[in-house]
Amino acid sequence: MSYNISEIVSNFCIEGNVAAIIPYGSGHINDTFHLKNANPGLPGYLLQRINHHVFENVPALMKNVQLVTDHLKEKLTGIPGSNPDKEVLTIVSAKDKQCFFCDETGNYWRMYCFLKDTKSYDMVLTEQQAYEGGKAFGKFQLLLSDLDSGLLYETIPGFHNITMRLDRLNKAVLDDPKNRIKDVLTELSFIIERADQMATIMNLGKEGKLPLRIIHNDTKFNNILLDMNDHEQCVIDLDTVMPGYVAYDFGDAIRTIINTAPEDEQDVTKIELNIPLFKAYAAGYFEYAGSFLSDTEVKSLSMGVLLIPYMQGVRFLTDYIEGDVYYKIHSPEHNLQRARAQFELLSKLEKNYDVFDQIIHNTAKKYIQITTEIK
Ligand code: ADP
Ligand code: GN1
Ligand code: MG
């Protein structure tokens, strides 16, 4: 799809003029463009078309983003040495003063200040990057811990509700709109074998043993901007910031950090676990999250490490069966390939469960006075 980006941009309050429009990033949902300023002394911008098929109420979503970014900025303002404008996204208003613009075809657009001299990584390369990532998401959860979660609109209902995800898969299997079930029987058996065990976190939540906190809900490593020295700078992609269990954020970050291969690796023999990166992420995370996590939450983190690749595989497979209606794909079997890669990762994680459970336990002990034995 091509858009008249200059026309869209003319509806936002920007300084200077746009010299270049560059498609940007590798997200699966929104379309992103980097706008370079003709005047190098003035800021660049990041323009995004928000996928309103995925996010059905964009005005409410943007209200969340405004609320969250205002809160983060206010909190950082009180911390010496912090720079809220670099460490938090800044929304650029549309000319009608709204924090988004809806064009005549019904597409929704938003703009942020472009944070220059930053990098996001699809694959983590060093322990320092992993450690900084852990700090970024730990700090994010800590800074949002005193924001009233009741103020946040649920941008995608049941986003990490595994029961709902499995129900949707089940419906897709029964409908089989593209006649693809015959190709995925092995994957379906893999899913069914683990379904009961994967409800553990939700059940602990229902029993009141895990608190709902404001979490990010999309802690892929490329949703952190690091500075040019690989220090964490800013958590981005705030569309799914909603109440959830901390294990979801931990599991999703580990899913992308620990894997030696890309999320959609076709040759699954390349999928191995990089345990030192896991350890480094946990160390960074506990530096901040250690101040608020309960014993049960600490224990739940290892379960999150298994749950999120499982749920992600279920989501990719469902989209494959439904005919690729949700995620952007770059080849006909892309979603199937992604699902298979997640399940391979999960198999490896299962075999190493005790190893990373112990790492979490040992890291937690440095920061938390554990009152009950968490193993
Ligand atoms: P998506 O929802 O499609 O994943 P993101 O909001 O994560 O979109 O943005 C896509 C990419 O754009 C990010 O991975 C990052 O590289 C870059 N990016 C996002 N926001 C900014 C920003 N404010 N400044 C600089 N780069 C950014
Ligand atoms: C999507 O937008 P992006 O690419 O950061 C998805 C996440 C998945 C991820 C898998 C709103 O994230 O939930 O974990 O793809 N976002 C949404 O790569 O569904
Ligand atoms: Mg993203």
mmCIF file of all heavy atoms in Angstrom, residues 18-49:
data_model
loop_
_atom_site.group_PDB
_atom_site.id
_atom_site.type_symbol
_atom_site.label_atom_id
_atom_site.label_comp_id
_atom_site.label_asym_id
_atom_site.label_seq_id
_atom_site.Cartn_x
_atom_site.Cartn_y
_atom_site.Cartn_z
ATOM 1 N N VAL A 18 10.236 18.365 5.623
ATOM 2 C CA VAL A 18 10.719 16.990 5.482
ATOM 3 C C VAL A 18 11.587 16.872 4.228
ATOM 4 O O VAL A 18 11.166 17.247 3.134
ATOM 5 C CB VAL A 18 9.520 16.013 5.411
ATOM 6 C CG1 VAL A 18 9.990 14.611 5.103
ATOM 7 C CG2 VAL A 18 8.743 16.051 6.712
ATOM 8 N N ALA A 19 12.808 16.348 4.414
ATOM 9 C CA ALA A 19 13.726 16.193 3.272
ATOM 10 C C ALA A 19 13.672 14.781 2.711
ATOM 11 O O ALA A 19 13.898 14.573 1.517
ATOM 12 C CB ALA A 19 15.157 16.500 3.713
ATOM 13 N N ALA A 20 13.384 13.791 3.551
ATOM 14 C CA ALA A 20 13.349 12.398 3.079
ATOM 15 C C ALA A 20 12.393 11.591 3.941
ATOM 16 O O ALA A 20 12.260 11.848 5.146
ATOM 17 C CB ALA A 20 14.750 11.797 3.152
ATOM 18 N N ILE A 21 11.733 10.639 3.283
ATOM 19 C CA ILE A 21 10.791 9.749 3.991
ATOM 20 C C ILE A 21 11.309 8.325 3.815
ATOM 21 O O ILE A 21 11.375 7.822 2.692
ATOM 22 C CB ILE A 21 9.379 9.863 3.360
ATOM 23 C CG1 ILE A 21 8.868 11.313 3.465
ATOM 24 C CG2 ILE A 21 8.412 8.878 3.987
ATOM 25 C CD1 ILE A 21 7.718 11.624 2.519
ATOM 26 N N ILE A 22 11.685 7.690 4.918
ATOM 27 C CA ILE A 22 12.335 6.375 4.799
ATOM 28 C C ILE A 22 11.523 5.315 5.555
ATOM 29 O O ILE A 22 11.332 5.444 6.769
ATOM 30 C CB ILE A 22 13.764 6.444 5.400
ATOM 31 C CG1 ILE A 22 14.535 7.579 4.713
ATOM 32 C CG2 ILE A 22 14.507 5.128 5.289
ATOM 33 C CD1 ILE A 22 15.695 8.087 5.526
ATOM 34 N N PRO A 23 11.026 4.288 4.855
ATOM 35 C CA PRO A 23 10.348 3.193 5.587
ATOM 36 C C PRO A 23 11.309 2.635 6.631
ATOM 37 O O PRO A 23 12.499 2.486 6.364
ATOM 38 C CB PRO A 23 10.052 2.156 4.500
ATOM 39 C CG PRO A 23 10.082 2.933 3.224
ATOM 40 C CD PRO A 23 11.087 4.040 3.414
ATOM 41 N N TYR A 24 10.781 2.320 7.815
ATOM 42 C CA TYR A 24 11.673 2.087 8.955
ATOM 43 C C TYR A 24 11.225 0.901 9.798
ATOM 44 O O TYR A 24 10.037 0.648 9.930
ATOM 45 C CB TYR A 24 11.652 3.360 9.819
ATOM 46 C CG TYR A 24 12.922 3.619 10.556
ATOM 47 C CD1 TYR A 24 14.091 3.931 9.878
ATOM 48 C CD2 TYR A 24 12.962 3.548 11.945
ATOM 49 C CE1 TYR A 24 15.268 4.172 10.563
ATOM 50 C CE2 TYR A 24 14.143 3.788 12.634
ATOM 51 C CZ TYR A 24 15.281 4.104 11.935
ATOM 52 O OH TYR A 24 16.440 4.334 12.609
ATOM 53 N N GLY A 25 12.201 0.212 10.401
ATOM 54 C CA GLY A 25 11.899 -0.814 11.400
ATOM 55 C C GLY A 25 11.419 -2.118 10.779
ATOM 56 O O GLY A 25 11.283 -2.243 9.558
ATOM 57 N N SER A 26 11.175 -3.098 11.665
ATOM 58 C CA SER A 26 10.780 -4.421 11.181
ATOM 59 C C SER A 26 9.552 -4.945 11.925
ATOM 60 O O SER A 26 9.406 -6.133 12.156
ATOM 61 C CB SER A 26 11.950 -5.397 11.328
ATOM 62 O OG SER A 26 12.424 -5.362 12.666
ATOM 63 N N GLY A 27 8.670 -4.015 12.343
ATOM 64 C CA GLY A 27 7.470 -4.424 13.083
ATOM 65 C C GLY A 27 6.502 -5.199 12.203
ATOM 66 O O GLY A 27 6.488 -5.042 10.980
ATOM 67 N N HIS A 28 5.684 -6.036 12.857
ATOM 68 C CA HIS A 28 4.749 -6.894 12.121
ATOM 69 C C HIS A 28 3.356 -6.280 11.983
ATOM 70 O O HIS A 28 2.477 -6.884 11.365
ATOM 71 C CB HIS A 28 4.562 -8.225 12.852
ATOM 72 C CG HIS A 28 5.806 -9.035 12.984
ATOM 73 N ND1 HIS A 28 6.919 -8.851 12.211
ATOM 74 C CD2 HIS A 28 6.104 -10.069 13.826
ATOM 75 C CE1 HIS A 28 7.844 -9.719 12.556
ATOM 76 N NE2 HIS A 28 7.378 -10.468 13.545
ATOM 77 N N ILE A 29 3.106 -5.137 12.632
ATOM 78 C CA ILE A 29 1.724 -4.652 12.711
ATOM 79 C C ILE A 29 1.539 -3.265 12.082
ATOM 80 O O ILE A 29 0.706 -3.086 11.206
ATOM 81 C CB ILE A 29 1.263 -4.588 14.208
ATOM 82 C CG1 ILE A 29 1.511 -5.927 14.921
ATOM 83 C CG2 ILE A 29 -0.199 -4.138 14.309
ATOM 84 C CD1 ILE A 29 0.648 -7.074 14.480
ATOM 85 N N ASN A 30 2.307 -2.293 12.540
ATOM 86 C CA ASN A 30 2.145 -0.917 12.053
ATOM 87 C C ASN A 30 3.096 -0.650 10.886
ATOM 88 O O ASN A 30 3.999 -1.448 10.620
ATOM 89 C CB ASN A 30 2.440 0.067 13.196
ATOM 90 C CG ASN A 30 1.449 -0.094 14.350
ATOM 91 O OD1 ASN A 30 0.261 -0.313 14.134
ATOM 92 N ND2 ASN A 30 1.937 0.006 15.578
ATOM 93 N N ASP A 31 2.905 0.492 10.204
ATOM 94 C CA ASP A 31 3.867 0.928 9.174
ATOM 95 C C ASP A 31 4.593 2.144 9.722
ATOM 96 O O ASP A 31 3.944 3.091 10.197
ATOM 97 C CB ASP A 31 3.135 1.339 7.882
ATOM 98 C CG ASP A 31 2.393 0.172 7.263
ATOM 99 O OD1 ASP A 31 2.890 -0.963 7.362
ATOM 100 O OD2 ASP A 31 1.308 0.394 6.701
ATOM 101 N N THR A 32 5.919 2.118 9.618
ATOM 102 C CA THR A 32 6.728 3.172 10.250
ATOM 103 C C THR A 32 7.594 3.873 9.207
ATOM 104 O O THR A 32 8.145 3.218 8.315
ATOM 105 C CB THR A 32 7.630 2.533 11.343
ATOM 106 O OG1 THR A 32 6.795 1.859 12.290
ATOM 107 C CG2 THR A 32 8.462 3.579 12.073
ATOM 108 N N PHE A 33 7.715 5.195 9.350
ATOM 109 C CA PHE A 33 8.553 5.995 8.435
ATOM 110 C C PHE A 33 9.406 6.952 9.249
ATOM 111 O O PHE A 33 8.896 7.618 10.168
ATOM 112 C CB PHE A 33 7.674 6.807 7.469
ATOM 113 C CG PHE A 33 6.717 5.957 6.679
ATOM 114 C CD1 PHE A 33 5.450 5.664 7.173
ATOM 115 C CD2 PHE A 33 7.094 5.423 5.450
ATOM 116 C CE1 PHE A 33 4.562 4.863 6.459
ATOM 117 C CE2 PHE A 33 6.217 4.620 4.717
ATOM 118 C CZ PHE A 33 4.954 4.340 5.221
ATOM 119 N N HIS A 34 10.671 7.031 8.888
ATOM 120 C CA HIS A 34 11.547 8.045 9.477
ATOM 121 C C HIS A 34 11.508 9.254 8.560
ATOM 122 O O HIS A 34 11.768 9.138 7.362
ATOM 123 C CB HIS A 34 12.968 7.465 9.588
ATOM 124 C CG HIS A 34 13.980 8.453 10.068
ATOM 125 N ND1 HIS A 34 15.332 8.284 9.902
ATOM 126 C CD2 HIS A 34 13.835 9.643 10.720
ATOM 127 C CE1 HIS A 34 15.982 9.306 10.418
ATOM 128 N NE2 HIS A 34 15.102 10.148 10.916
ATOM 129 N N LEU A 35 11.192 10.417 9.133
ATOM 130 C CA LEU A 35 11.154 11.655 8.350
ATOM 131 C C LEU A 35 12.399 12.463 8.686
ATOM 132 O O LEU A 35 12.575 12.870 9.840
ATOM 133 C CB LEU A 35 9.911 12.477 8.701
ATOM 134 C CG LEU A 35 8.563 11.730 8.686
ATOM 135 C CD1 LEU A 35 7.430 12.679 9.065
ATOM 136 C CD2 LEU A 35 8.296 11.119 7.302
ATOM 137 N N LYS A 36 13.260 12.664 7.693
ATOM 138 C CA LYS A 36 14.468 13.461 7.933
ATOM 139 C C LYS A 36 14.135 14.927 7.710
ATOM 140 O O LYS A 36 13.420 15.262 6.765
ATOM 141 C CB LYS A 36 15.583 13.029 6.986
ATOM 142 C CG LYS A 36 16.113 11.662 7.323
ATOM 143 C CD LYS A 36 17.494 11.464 6.747
ATOM 144 C CE LYS A 36 18.135 10.283 7.444
ATOM 145 N NZ LYS A 36 19.390 9.888 6.879
ATOM 146 N N ASN A 37 14.691 15.776 8.556
ATOM 147 C CA ASN A 37 14.412 17.199 8.431
ATOM 148 C C ASN A 37 15.355 17.839 7.423
ATOM 149 O O ASN A 37 16.545 17.510 7.390
ATOM 150 C CB ASN A 37 14.557 17.885 9.801
ATOM 151 C CG ASN A 37 13.669 19.123 9.887
ATOM 152 O OD1 ASN A 37 13.706 19.967 8.988
ATOM 153 N ND2 ASN A 37 12.887 19.206 10.943
ATOM 154 N N ALA A 38 14.827 18.744 6.587
ATOM 155 C CA ALA A 38 15.671 19.435 5.596
ATOM 156 C C ALA A 38 16.709 20.300 6.306
ATOM 157 O O ALA A 38 17.811 20.510 5.805
ATOM 158 C CB ALA A 38 14.807 20.298 4.687
ATOM 159 N N ASN A 39 16.355 20.781 7.488
ATOM 160 C CA ASN A 39 17.282 21.590 8.274
ATOM 161 C C ASN A 39 17.928 20.685 9.327
ATOM 162 O O ASN A 39 17.264 20.252 10.274
ATOM 163 C CB ASN A 39 16.503 22.727 8.946
ATOM 164 C CG ASN A 39 17.409 23.612 9.774
ATOM 165 O OD1 ASN A 39 18.480 23.193 10.204
ATOM 166 N ND2 ASN A 39 16.958 24.836 10.001
ATOM 167 N N PRO A 40 19.231 20.379 9.173
ATOM 168 C CA PRO A 40 19.851 19.424 10.090
ATOM 169 C C PRO A 40 19.854 19.883 11.549
ATOM 170 O O PRO A 40 19.996 19.075 12.471
ATOM 171 C CB PRO A 40 21.289 19.294 9.562
ATOM 172 C CG PRO A 40 21.465 20.324 8.501
ATOM 173 C CD PRO A 40 20.143 20.923 8.161
ATOM 174 N N GLY A 41 19.610 21.164 11.773
ATOM 175 C CA GLY A 41 19.548 21.665 13.155
ATOM 176 C C GLY A 41 18.200 21.375 13.809
ATOM 177 O O GLY A 41 18.046 21.522 15.022
ATOM 178 N N LEU A 42 17.226 20.979 13.005
ATOM 179 C CA LEU A 42 15.882 20.719 13.559
ATOM 180 C C LEU A 42 15.662 19.201 13.686
ATOM 181 O O LEU A 42 16.334 18.420 13.008
ATOM 182 C CB LEU A 42 14.824 21.338 12.641
ATOM 183 C CG LEU A 42 14.813 22.874 12.624
ATOM 184 C CD1 LEU A 42 13.799 23.390 11.595
ATOM 185 C CD2 LEU A 42 14.483 23.429 14.008
ATOM 186 N N PRO A 43 14.710 18.813 14.544
ATOM 187 C CA PRO A 43 14.552 17.369 14.791
ATOM 188 C C PRO A 43 13.984 16.596 13.602
ATOM 189 O O PRO A 43 13.305 17.168 12.749
ATOM 190 C CB PRO A 43 13.565 17.317 15.955
ATOM 191 C CG PRO A 43 12.874 18.626 15.957
ATOM 192 C CD PRO A 43 13.793 19.626 15.350
ATOM 193 N N GLY A 44 14.261 15.292 13.588
ATOM 194 C CA GLY A 44 13.593 14.389 12.665
ATOM 195 C C GLY A 44 12.345 13.841 13.356
ATOM 196 O O GLY A 44 12.146 14.055 14.564
ATOM 197 N N TYR A 45 11.532 13.122 12.610
ATOM 198 C CA TYR A 45 10.277 12.604 13.182
ATOM 199 C C TYR A 45 10.077 11.146 12.787
ATOM 200 O O TYR A 45 10.689 10.650 11.836
ATOM 201 C CB TYR A 45 9.089 13.445 12.686
ATOM 202 C CG TYR A 45 9.175 14.872 13.169
ATOM 203 C CD1 TYR A 45 9.699 15.868 12.341
ATOM 204 C CD2 TYR A 45 8.776 15.218 14.455
ATOM 205 C CE1 TYR A 45 9.809 17.180 12.789
ATOM 206 C CE2 TYR A 45 8.887 16.521 14.913
ATOM 207 C CZ TYR A 45 9.399 17.498 14.077
ATOM 208 O OH TYR A 45 9.525 18.776 14.529
ATOM 209 N N LEU A 46 9.217 10.496 13.553
ATOM 210 C CA LEU A 46 8.863 9.119 13.251
ATOM 211 C C LEU A 46 7.354 9.071 13.047
ATOM 212 O O LEU A 46 6.596 9.397 13.960
ATOM 213 C CB LEU A 46 9.277 8.203 14.402
ATOM 214 C CG LEU A 46 9.182 6.744 13.997
ATOM 215 C CD1 LEU A 46 10.586 6.181 13.784
ATOM 216 C CD2 LEU A 46 8.465 5.930 15.028
ATOM 217 N N LEU A 47 6.945 8.741 11.847
ATOM 218 C CA LEU A 47 5.516 8.714 11.512
ATOM 219 C C LEU A 47 5.062 7.255 11.463
ATOM 220 O O LEU A 47 5.753 6.413 10.888
ATOM 221 C CB LEU A 47 5.314 9.371 10.137
ATOM 222 C CG LEU A 47 3.876 9.405 9.603
ATOM 223 C CD1 LEU A 47 3.021 10.409 10.391
ATOM 224 C CD2 LEU A 47 3.872 9.766 8.117
ATOM 225 N N GLN A 48 3.903 6.982 12.047
ATOM 226 C CA GLN A 48 3.397 5.593 12.015
ATOM 227 C C GLN A 48 1.936 5.555 11.601
ATOM 228 O O GLN A 48 1.117 6.336 12.096
ATOM 229 C CB GLN A 48 3.539 4.939 13.387
ATOM 230 C CG GLN A 48 4.987 4.604 13.715
ATOM 231 C CD GLN A 48 5.131 3.858 15.027
ATOM 232 O OE1 GLN A 48 4.509 4.241 16.012
ATOM 233 N NE2 GLN A 48 5.953 2.826 15.042
ATOM 234 N N ARG A 49 1.646 4.619 10.716
ATOM 235 C CA ARG A 49 0.242 4.302 10.442
ATOM 236 C C ARG A 49 -0.137 3.204 11.425
ATOM 237 O O ARG A 49 0.499 2.140 11.452
ATOM 238 C CB ARG A 49 0.054 3.794 9.005
ATOM 239 C CG ARG A 49 -1.434 3.624 8.649
ATOM 240 C CD ARG A 49 -1.604 3.016 7.275
ATOM 241 N NE ARG A 49 -1.211 1.619 7.263
ATOM 242 C CZ ARG A 49 -2.020 0.595 7.540
ATOM 243 N NH1 ARG A 49 -3.280 0.804 7.843
ATOM 244 N NH2 ARG A 49 -1.569 -0.646 7.504
#
